[in-house]
Amino acid sequence: MKDFNVQDYFSHDHDELDGFFRDFQSLKMTDFQAAQESFKKFRSGLQRHIAWEEQILFPLFEDLTGMKDMGPTAVMREEHRQIEAALEAIHAKVEHRDLDSAPQEAALMEVLKFHNDKEETILYPAIDHMVGEKDRLAAYERMKHIPSDASKTCCGHTPPNR
Ligand SMILES: [Fe+2]
Ligand SMILES: [Fe+2]
């Protein structure tokens, strides 16, 4: 890879995760097992995405601006806790094969959509602008060492590697 564009890479990951979630929603009434597989990909991928941001991406911004405990990344970190709580509420439903998860799905989408929009329109472009190419590439290399959540189990099974 010659350059690592945060905006492109992370926005693409948002889109891919959205796709897994849509698959889960469209399949759950007709093919629960397939829906569950899509949910596992969504959950483990979202957990990895949050780890990439909190452990690697946000510190680039925080180190350069000195804004850590307040500022945009502090808000994003706080929203990640809301996203995780909403994600686990759906996970509990999926684990129990409870199809009535529409309120939990709506709650997750409400926080996730605005969160992703803010990252894509404000934070990612700011990071691409502020952080030099070499440091962005180094961050990309470090991201490879954060595994997907494959070591943890989901719904009683180990999720497939992505
Ligand atoms: Fe985020
Ligand atoms: Fe994100």
Side-chain angles (χ1 to χ4, degrees):
M1 188 178 282
K2 278 214 191 80
D3 190 11
F4 174 63
N5 182 286
V6 169
Q7 165 87 338
D8 289 351
Y9 191 91
F10 278 78
S11 300
H12 180 267
D13 203 47
H14 286 166
D15 292 343
E16 188 175 58
L17 293 170
D18 285 346
F20 291 143
F21 193 70
R22 275 197 304 275
D23 290 346
F24 159 70
Q25 290 183 304
S26 63
L27 287 164
K28 76 173 184 178
M29 294 300 179
T30 52
D31 185 345
F32 184 79
Q33 205 172 352
Q36 192 180 37
E37 286 305 314
S38 292
F39 181 75
K40 286 182 203 171
K41 286 187 204 165
F42 174 69
R43 180 169 174 263
S44 62
L46 185 54
Q47 286 169 334
R48 183 175 62 174
H49 184 96
I50 288 173
W52 280 342
E53 291 182 340
E54 294 198 356
Q55 295 175 35
I56 296 170
L57 194 64
F58 293 176
L60 296 175
F61 178 90
E62 291 159 353
D63 289 347
L64 281 170
T65 60
M67 283 195 282
K68 188 173 189 330
D69 298 328
M70 48 188 288
T73 56
V75 177
M76 293 301 109
R77 288 176 191 274
E78 174 59 33
E79 289 179 2
H80 285 166
R81 304 291 81 80
Q82 296 170 24
I83 290 165
E84 286 165 346
L87 180 64
E88 290 317 298
I90 303 170
H91 184 214
K93 292 276 183 177
V94 174
E95 251 182 339
H96 294 102
R97 292 186 168 258
D98 182 348
L99 298 175
D100 181 22
S101 54
Q104 288 77 15
E105 292 164 32
L108 175 67
M109 279 301 106
E110 193 177 312
V111 54
L112 190 61
K113 187 184 179 318
F114 288 113
H115 177 84
N116 289 352
D117 283 350
K118 279 183 280 187
E119 288 180 340
E120 291 180 21
T121 56
I122 300 167
L123 192 59
Y124 298 159
I127 292 172
D128 278 323
H129 184 70
M130 284 171 26
V131 180
E133 188 181 314
K134 200 166 142 251
D135 289 338
R136 274 185 273 125
L137 272 172
Y140 175 67
E141 289 304 315
R142 288 201 302 281
M143 281 165 57
K144 293 177 186 169
H145 299 291
I146 292 186
S148 69
D149 204 29
S151 58
K152 290 187 191 166
T153 57
C154 180
C155 308
H157 305 284
T158 302
N161 284 324
R162 280 179 55 207

